[in-house]
Amino acid sequence: MKVFLSILSSIFVLGLLTICAFFAYSMYESNQLNNKAMQTNQTNQEVENTENTNNIENDDSQVNSDSTQNFETPQNAEACLLDLIENNRTCSLDDYSNQELAEAYESLIDQGQLDFWCHPGGDIGAVKKSITESISNKQNGIVCDRDNSSDSENDSNVVTRDNVFDYLIEAIDSEDGNNHNLITFQQPKMKDGYWEIAGNNKSGVGSYTFKVYLDGTVEFWNGPNTDMSMSKKVVLD
C-alpha cells in the first residue's frame, strides 16, 4: 500500500512539473513573438519616417526651384532696362555692375530706345543716376534736345568732326593739373547728339570716356562710362 501511494505521489509531482514546464515554455514563446512584432513595427516606422522626410525635402526643393524660376531676373542688363522702361519691376539696377549697365545704356541710346541724360553742367554722379533719369524722361515723354541754341553765340559753337578735339582739349587743359599731352585719344565716334572719344593715360594707368556734345558741353567719364567726374560748357574764341 505504501509503495502504491509512493508511486502515485511521484506521478503527481512529475505531472505537476511537466505542466509548469509547458506553461513556462508557452510564456517564453509568447514573449519572443511579441519582441519580434515590436522590432518589425519599429523598423517599419523608421522606413516610413525616412520616406516622409525625403518627400518633404523633395517638396521643398521643388518649391525653391519654382520660386527661383518665378523671380528670375532678365538675362542681361539691357533686358532689365527695357523692363524698367515699361515699368515692370522684375529687376533692379543693383543686380548689375556699372560696366554692364553702361554698355546696356549706350546700346539702348544707339537703338533710339532712350535719350541720354540731358542736363549738362549738373552733378549727375554715377551711371545709375543717369539711367534712372533717362528712364523717367522716357516714361514721361520728355525728349532731350541738345542741338537747339538760344543765342547766336551758341549757334556759332557747333561741334563737328573737324573741331571736336579743339573742344575736348580746351576742356581738359582748363582744369588745374590736367594736361591733354599725357593722354592717348582714340578716334571719335558719333553717337546720339554727341561725339564719344575713348582715352588712356600714356603711363598705361587709367582710362576715360570723353563725350563732346554738339552744343560744346564736354563730359569726363572714368573708365567705360562708369561715373562722370566733370561736365562743363566750352566756348571757343
Side-chain angles (χ1 to χ4, degrees), residues 90-125:
T90 60
C91 62
S92 169
L93 298 183
D94 294 332
D95 296 334
Y96 306 93
S97 67
N98 285 338
Q99 174 73 27
E100 292 172 321
L101 291 174
E103 292 176 354
Y105 190 29
E106 291 290 342
S107 176
L108 292 180
I109 290 173
D110 291 341
Q111 297 171 36
Q113 298 280 358
L114 279 177
D115 285 332
F116 193 72
W117 175 66
C118 54
H119 296 293
D123 181 16
I124 189 58

Side-chain angles (χ1 to χ4, degrees), residues 6-7 16 24 32 41 47 54 68 72-73 96 115 117 120 125 144 163 167 180 213 226 229:
S6 177
I7 292 172
L16 184 61
Q32 289 293 101
N41 289 336
V47 171
N54 291 337
T68 300
E72 184 178 3
T73 57
Y96 306 93
D115 285 332
W117 175 66
C144 302
N163 63 13
Y167 282 87
H180 74 274
Y213 292 88
T226 303
S229 59

Side-chain angles (χ1 to χ4, degrees), residues 36-224:
K36 290 182 178 180
M38 291 176 63
Q39 291 176 354
T40 300
N41 289 336
Q42 183 177 1
T43 301
N44 291 337
Q45 185 64 40
E46 291 175 353
V47 171
E48 183 177 355
N49 290 339
T50 301
E51 291 177 350
N52 290 337
T53 300
N54 291 337
N55 289 336
I56 291 173
E57 291 176 351
N58 290 335
D59 290 341
D60 289 342
S61 297
Q62 184 63 37
V63 169
N64 292 335
S65 177
D66 292 342
S67 298
T68 300
Q69 293 176 358
N70 291 336
F71 295 97
E72 184 178 3
T73 57
Q75 293 183 351
N76 54 56
E78 186 171 322
C80 176
L81 297 189
L82 288 172
D83 273 357
L84 292 177
I85 292 172
E86 298 299 326
N87 210 21
N88 297 326
R89 302 294 176 177
T90 60
C91 62
S92 169
L93 298 183
D94 294 332
D95 296 334
Y96 306 93
S97 67
N98 285 338
Q99 174 73 27
E100 292 172 321
L101 291 174
E103 292 176 354
Y105 190 29
E106 291 290 342
S107 176
L108 292 180
I109 290 173
D110 291 341
Q111 297 171 36
Q113 298 280 358
L114 279 177
D115 285 332
F116 193 72
W117 175 66
C118 54
H119 296 293
D123 181 16
I124 189 58
V127 66
K128 292 179 182 178
K129 293 183 180 180
S130 298
I131 292 175
T132 300
E133 181 168 332
S134 292
I135 290 175
S136 177
N137 289 344
K138 180 74 172 181
Q139 292 172 338
N140 293 285
I142 299 173
V143 178
C144 302
D145 187 0
R146 292 178 181 268
D147 297 340
N148 293 338
S149 301
S150 59
D151 53 59
S152 59
E153 181 182 18
N154 286 336
D155 289 338
S156 65
N157 286 305
V158 177
V159 179
T160 65
R161 175 64 179 81
D162 293 332
N163 63 13
V164 62
F165 280 106
D166 295 334
Y167 282 87
L168 177 56
I169 291 172
E170 175 66 22
I172 293 174
D173 291 346
S174 66
E175 295 295 311
D176 292 338
N178 287 350
N179 185 347
H180 74 274
N181 292 314
L182 301 179
I183 302 174
T184 299
F185 300 101
Q186 304 297 322
Q187 290 300 314
K189 297 179 181 179
M190 187 62 189
K191 298 288 185 176
D192 183 19
Y194 64 93
W195 292 93
E196 182 177 276
I197 303 171
N200 297 87
N201 286 334
K202 291 183 178 179
S203 64
V205 179
S207 62
Y208 311 96
T209 300
F210 302 101
K211 298 180 181 181
V212 184
Y213 292 88
L214 301 185
D215 64 355
T217 299
V218 181
E219 292 178 352
F220 295 7
W221 289 77
N222 296 319

